[in-house]
Amino acid sequence: MLVSVQRVRAPGHAIGLNTFIYSHGDVAWPTASAEAFRLSATLVQAWHEIPGGGNVVLSYLDLVAPDGTGRGRLLDILRESLDAITRAGGPLPVAGCDGLDYALKWQIVPTLLLQWVHEVKELMRRVVLP
Amino acid sequence: MTDAAIEYQACERQILYLRATGLMRDELEDPVLERMDWLWPRMDPDEQEAARARARSFADAQDDAVIRDRSVEVGGHGLPREEAA
């Protein structure tokens, strides 16, 4: 599964968080978890606060894990990832090491960097509460 | 860190947030910039240098390409965003 959450700004300046859940289907999980971002995935659910298309993406978080990963495991993954991101002091290209059953990446526009802790927590909250 | 430096950083965050969200207006920005001017001489030289470095890094970062979202329908493929050309 791939969960993608992104904060977007519409041309009229409305801002909102959109959440997307994709399914990988019956595929083998790669040894290097970050490779899972390359797996084909089908969108199965979407929640929009702002209609998609042409908006500026202010921040986003992508989390990949095997299909069927439960909410409890997702919460553990988010806690582990937040710890890793906090230790690193900011945005990471990818959090998650080879052999793990997940990988996570997130980005934020430079002008919001000073608020990255608040932002990454908001994005993570939407992973489990879209 | 001096109280002035702490408040200066809060002003920076306010300005950057307004710019990132597209809510920037002169009537919102001017009082914050005036406050930052008042705070500046009350900061230590090291704090002033750190503030200059932050300003330079954010100015450089403005040149980064903007990412825009894309519409994805249920049953479709691909991430809901694309890099700007």
Side-chain angles (χ1 to χ4, degrees):
Chain A
M1 68 186 295
L2 161 66
V3 184
S4 182
V5 183
Q6 57 191 22
R7 185 182 298 280
V8 297
R9 185 186 73 214
H13 295 161
I15 293 175
L17 285 164
N18 294 340
T19 305
F20 307 84
I21 296 182
Y22 295 77
S23 168
H24 287 125
D26 188 18
V27 297
W29 190 257
T31 306
S33 56
E35 289 296 311
F37 285 115
R38 299 171 186 268
L39 297 175
S40 176
T42 304
L43 181 64
V44 292
Q45 276 187 295
W47 292 263
H48 287 91
E49 289 183 353
I50 303 289
N55 305 304
V56 173
V57 177
L58 298 175
S59 63
Y60 69 82
L61 182 150
D62 293 337
L63 169 65
V64 283
D67 278 9
T69 300
R71 191 165 178 272
R73 176 64 187 137
L74 285 178
L75 287 169
D76 288 342
I77 289 171
L78 294 173
R79 284 192 201 100
E80 290 169 16
S81 300
L82 183 58
D83 285 347
I85 291 167
T86 304
R87 278 198 304 274
L92 288 175
V94 173
C97 301
D98 293 358
L100 293 180
D101 62 347
Y102 72 91
L104 180 147
K105 61 182 176 182
W106 79 291
Q107 284 288 340
I108 185 170
V109 291
T111 43
L112 286 178
L113 262 179
L114 294 177
Q115 303 172 71
W116 70 266
V117 174
H118 171 76
E119 187 64 12
V120 73
K121 287 180 178 175
E122 275 288 304
L123 296 171
M124 286 183 165
R125 191 171 296 122
R126 291 302 177 106
V127 170
V128 287
L129 294 171
Chain B
M1 187 182 288
T2 61
D3 289 345
I6 293 169
E7 186 177 348
Y8 191 91
Q9 286 193 27
C11 291
E12 286 177 331
R13 283 194 293 273
Q14 195 172 348
I15 292 286
L16 291 169
Y17 180 79
L18 290 170
R19 288 179 180 167
T21 54
L23 298 174
M24 180 58 75
R25 302 285 182 276
D26 286 347
E27 60 269 29
L28 295 175
E29 185 178 32
D30 289 349
V32 183
L33 294 177
E34 285 173 14
R35 183 66 179 172
M36 292 170 82
D37 285 343
W38 185 85
L39 290 166
W40 185 262
R42 291 163 176 78
M43 290 160 54
D44 292 342
D46 287 350
E47 293 167 341
Q48 292 175 342
E49 182 49 40
R52 285 193 196 95
R54 285 196 301 274
R56 281 194 299 271
S57 69
F58 287 121
D60 292 344
Q62 299 307 306
D63 294 333
D64 288 357
V66 171
I67 300 173
R68 294 193 182 274
D69 74 346
R70 57 186 282 270
S71 179
V72 186
E73 302 294 326
V74 169
H77 305 274
L79 287 170
R81 75 188 74 91
E82 55 196 14
E83 300 283 344

